[in-house]
Amino acid sequence: MKHKQIAKRFWQSGATPMQTAADASERYDDLINLSIGDTDFITDERIIHAAMEDALAGHTKYTNPQGDPELIEAIQNFYRAEYEMNLAKNQIFVTTSSCMGMELVLMTILDPEDEVILFSPYFTPYKQQVELALGCAVEVETSEEDGFEIREDRLRAAITPKTKALILNNPCNPTGAAYDMECYQMIASIANEFDLIVICDEIYTDYMYEMPFVPFRSLPGMAERTVTLNSFSKNYMMTGWRIGYIVAEPHLTATMKSINENMVYAAPSVSQRAALHALGLHKELKKIYTEEYKNRVYYAAKRINQLPYASVLAPRGTFYLFMNIKKTGLTSAEFCARAMEEAHVAMIPGNAFGKAGEGYVRIACTTGTATLEKAFDRLAKLAF
């Protein structure tokens, strides 16, 4: 909105396609919402009750700005048990969500006009987050023909003297791509060659369907140039608690701490206690939710490939599907508008995820299979 009281850099900012879909979703009582990636599960009752007991016991005050010491120790133990990685306490910084964490990372590392490479299609906020930190987002397109894999030639072509970092989201929202060790090693080699920071968004680590998840910072020589973002939102069904953490070298976490103290001081104490208890239930929750979401995305993929006007790659990770709707002849926004109006099914148009997203829509399988069945029965009636 253009207004003299608003900073000029925000004059061109309008509602994102994600926000537009969310606003439109209120128009229909029978809407099936497959747009926003918010789970239909509530947080496990054991986590809720344990956090409540901690609150009653006095955990309602500011914590250490770096994070609750017990939570930091639990994160250390988790990485040691899960990945055989030893993290120092000063390599961990607890954040008010991984979205806030991403902004802290970018504010920490970027000087004005530094460039950050995004692999398109990318998680919608990345571009704005880079720009809020006064950096420049550079898109490197991936394609369905390549399985949305990252191509070395395209990556190299995008690097300039101003390139400071790249953002790697594995497994990937919105495409569902999951990157293997060959891809990791290619990116690591390029990061070393051009002295780049690799910002790893690893919030869907439990949703890898073809291979086990491997933290990028575990690659030889990568720890010192890797910043890892993680969250309790998706793996633990804790979206509303707004709690996550960053793993990085101490000089980076110290700067993030300084910035964060001037924004929110510390992450919410009760949410940190909930995260602490969630880590203790990881193996049990992973078994339940990973299997459930795998069943959902495989069912949805089967139904998509039965539609005469759509197709999708086999699911590899996350609980999203990036549906190709190019046969309809519509733009992604036009298709989503028709699906909303005629089928009362909400999805996110692919143009929300960068230039390479046009011709696709993102489906979030965050509702049960019975509801997905209803959604695809409706979509099957659309004619183009």
Side-chain angles (χ1 to χ4, degrees):
M1 177 184 293
K2 185 176 181 180
H3 193 284
K4 66 179 182 179
Q5 294 179 337
I6 297 174
K8 292 183 177 63
R9 62 193 177 111
F10 297 118
W11 280 8
Q12 299 302 316
S13 298
T16 67
M18 294 183 74
Q19 183 59 51
T20 301
D23 293 341
S25 69
E26 299 176 2
R27 297 205 306 259
Y28 305 105
D29 293 336
D30 64 341
L31 181 85
I32 298 176
N33 194 340
L34 307 180
S35 61
I36 306 301
D38 196 0
T39 177
D40 55 332
F41 296 105
I42 67 166
T43 305
D44 189 281
E45 288 187 2
R46 291 167 292 180
I47 298 171
I48 296 171
H49 288 306
M52 181 175 67
E53 290 298 320
D54 284 349
L56 291 171
H59 288 278
T60 59
K61 301 179 180 182
Y62 294 130
T63 69
N64 183 306
Q66 183 184 343
D68 183 322
E70 288 185 67
L71 175 57
I72 289 174
E73 184 176 355
I75 293 169
Q76 288 180 291
N77 292 337
F78 173 79
Y79 270 79
R80 189 178 300 114
E82 193 78 4
Y83 305 119
E84 298 182 350
M85 293 175 60
N86 292 313
L87 301 176
K89 290 181 179 179
N90 61 1
Q91 291 179 305
I92 300 168
F93 182 74
V94 180
T95 62
T96 309
S97 80
S98 61
C99 281
M100 173 66 84
M102 179 65 79
E103 197 60 41
L104 288 172
V105 170
L106 294 167
M107 291 176 70
T108 295
I109 69 171
L110 296 182
D111 287 314
E113 299 185 1
D114 278 349
E115 295 176 352
V116 179
I117 290 174
L118 311 179
F119 298 108
S120 175
Y122 52 78
F123 179 48
T124 303
Y126 289 163
K127 183 175 186 292
Q128 287 89 340
Q129 288 173 325
V130 169
E131 292 171 351
L132 281 171
L134 303 182
C136 298
V138 176
E139 295 190 30
V140 170
E141 294 190 7
T142 64
S143 69
E144 184 179 12
E145 291 72 23
D146 294 326
F148 294 110
E149 293 284 348
I150 297 167
R151 283 179 44 175
E152 181 175 357
D153 59 337
R154 292 179 179 176
L155 173 55
R156 286 184 174 277
I159 296 172
T160 76
K162 291 185 177 182
T163 306
K164 184 69 175 285
L166 59 85
I167 298 178
L168 181 66
N169 180 203
N170 187 37
C172 178
N173 172 13
T175 65
Y179 306 122
D180 59 19
M181 191 56 65
E182 182 179 356
C183 176
Y184 266 18
Q185 289 170 345
M186 178 270 289
I187 291 173
S189 176
I190 289 176
N192 276 320
E193 180 180 348
F194 293 97
D195 192 24
L196 304 180
I197 297 170
V198 182
I199 305 170
C200 295
D201 183 345
E202 297 182 347
I203 75 169
Y204 295 98
T205 56
D206 285 353
Y207 305 103
M208 295 277 283
Y209 304 131
E210 295 182 348
M211 67 189 89
F213 175 78
V214 176
F216 186 82
R217 71 175 287 116
S218 68
L219 270 67
M222 280 297 106
E224 60 267 24
R225 64 173 67 256
T226 300
V227 177
T228 301
L229 291 157
N230 217 317
S231 168
F232 291 85
S233 290
K234 311 302 183 178
N235 287 352
Y236 298 93
M237 313 299 124
M238 291 173 62
T239 54
W241 297 83
R242 310 313 296 139
I243 192 72
Y245 60 90
I246 298 166
V247 177
E249 294 305 281
H251 61 279
L252 294 172
T253 57
T255 303
M256 294 171 203
K257 176 176 173 288
S258 177
I259 296 169
N260 195 61
E261 285 182 24
N262 293 288
M263 299 173 72
V264 297
Y265 186 71
S269 56
V270 177
S271 294
Q272 293 193 62
R273 300 305 295 181
L276 169 64
H277 298 299
L279 284 170
L281 295 171
H282 176 255
K283 290 187 182 299
E284 181 179 343
L285 298 180
K286 177 180 179 179
K287 183 176 181 180
I288 296 170
Y289 295 126
T290 301
E291 189 64 25
E292 173 62 20
Y293 278 116
K294 182 177 181 179
N295 290 338
R296 291 179 181 187
V297 294
Y298 273 82
Y299 171 79
K302 178 181 178 181
R303 291 298 305 269
I304 289 170
N305 286 321
Q306 290 173 349
L307 296 173
Y309 56 79
S311 62
V312 73
L313 296 178
R316 297 181 65 196
T318 77
F319 41 68
Y320 303 107
L321 292 170
F322 212 49
M323 181 170 77
N324 185 324
I325 49 89
K326 294 177 182 179
K327 287 182 181 179
T328 67
L330 303 179
T331 66
S332 57
E334 290 169 340
F335 176 87
C336 286
R338 278 197 57 183
M340 176 81 75
E341 293 166 7
E342 298 179 26
H344 296 184
V345 175
M347 295 167 282
I348 299 293
N351 66 336
F353 306 100
K355 296 175 183 177
E358 186 52 77
Y360 299 83
V361 299
R362 192 194 74 173
I363 293 175
C365 298
T366 49
T367 189
T369 304
T371 304
L372 288 171
E373 182 177 7
K374 292 179 183 178
F376 285 105
D377 286 347
R378 294 182 189 180
L379 292 173
K381 295 177 182 178
L382 296 178
F384 298 96

